[in-house]
Amino acid sequence: MNQPISVIRTVLMAVVAVFCFTGVAAAEGAQKIDTCTLLTKAEIQAAVGQNVGDGKLNAKANPAVGSPCEYVVGDYGAFSILVKTTGFGETADKTMTELKKMKIAVSEAPGIGDSSFFSSPGYGMIQLNTFKGSNYLIITLLVPGATEAAEKTAAEKLMRTALTKI
């Protein structure tokens, strides 16, 4: 039962590693976004079709990257959203390249934000990475019993909603 949670933490660590490779420098004085205000529990629940617990900021996250808001989906699934300020030269193309080097599958997701792509780190988990202005958002989703197509549809819907609040 704890294995999916440890897998999620491992994947989130991989995401943090990507930030290290692509430059984490955030502009001083940049406005911090409270990730838990971007989506409601009800919005997430409607998109994923399962019960969702209350969102909580990950207090152990690297402050240079930002604090993801994390939710439990169903009995053992997960949803998180992270927003950070892009570093100098940080782009979707560079991030995709770094993920490919780590053998993580990526595919473009056109029409969302300025530039978006999906990454599939494994174990049924998908991530939607979106660049919009100086912000980089990542939605991570693991929905028990859901197909990859259903997870991608939910992630797109939720990303579009979150982008309206930035």
Side-chain angles (χ1 to χ4, degrees), residues 126-149:
I126 63 102
Q127 293 178 316
L128 178 54
N129 299 261
T130 298
F131 288 77
K132 170 125 185 194
S134 63
N135 293 303
Y136 177 16
L137 294 81
I138 301 174
I139 284 180
T140 302
L141 204 63
L142 174 63
V143 180
T147 64
E148 182 177 326

Side-chain angles (χ1 to χ4, degrees), residues 35-56 68-74 77-82 139-144 150-151 153-155 157-159 161-162 165:
T35 53
C36 287
T37 64
L38 296 177
L39 297 166
T40 67
K41 176 178 158 179
E43 289 168 330
I44 299 166
Q45 206 162 276
V48 301
Q50 294 191 25
N51 289 331
V52 174
D54 293 331
K56 298 176 188 166
C69 189
E70 300 173 340
Y71 301 78
V72 174
V73 176
F79 173 87
S80 73
I81 183 165
L82 171 73
I139 284 180
T140 302
L141 204 63
L142 174 63
V143 180
E151 286 183 324
T153 299
K157 179 178 182 175
L158 293 166
M159 183 65 79
T161 300
K165 299 176 185 175

Side-chain angles (χ1 to χ4, degrees), residues 2-148:
N2 287 336
Q3 186 176 6
I5 292 171
S6 88
V7 168
I8 293 165
R9 287 188 179 133
T10 301
V11 171
L12 289 174
M13 286 179 175
V15 170
V16 171
V18 169
F19 291 137
C20 292
F21 291 126
T22 58
V24 176
E28 245 183 69
Q31 180 182 3
K32 298 264 183 186
I33 296 171
D34 179 353
T35 53
C36 287
T37 64
L38 296 177
L39 297 166
T40 67
K41 176 178 158 179
E43 289 168 330
I44 299 166
Q45 206 162 276
V48 301
Q50 294 191 25
N51 289 331
V52 174
D54 293 331
K56 298 176 188 166
L57 284 177
N58 180 336
K60 296 179 183 178
N62 180 344
V65 175
S67 296
C69 189
E70 300 173 340
Y71 301 78
V72 174
V73 176
D75 290 332
Y76 60 88
F79 173 87
S80 73
I81 183 165
L82 171 73
V83 180
K84 73 174 221 64
T85 302
T86 55
F88 179 75
E90 186 174 19
T91 66
D93 288 338
K94 286 183 181 179
T95 305
M96 287 176 67
T97 299
E98 292 302 323
L99 288 169
K100 288 177 185 177
K101 286 179 185 176
M102 295 185 326
K103 309 278 190 242
I104 295 175
V106 297
S107 61
E108 292 191 25
I112 306 168
D114 298 334
S115 182
S116 291
F117 65 91
F118 285 103
S119 59
S120 300
Y123 302 99
M125 185 179 304
I126 63 102
Q127 293 178 316
L128 178 54
N129 299 261
T130 298
F131 288 77
K132 170 125 185 194
S134 63
N135 293 303
Y136 177 16
L137 294 81
I138 301 174
I139 284 180
T140 302
L141 204 63
L142 174 63
V143 180
T147 64
E148 182 177 326

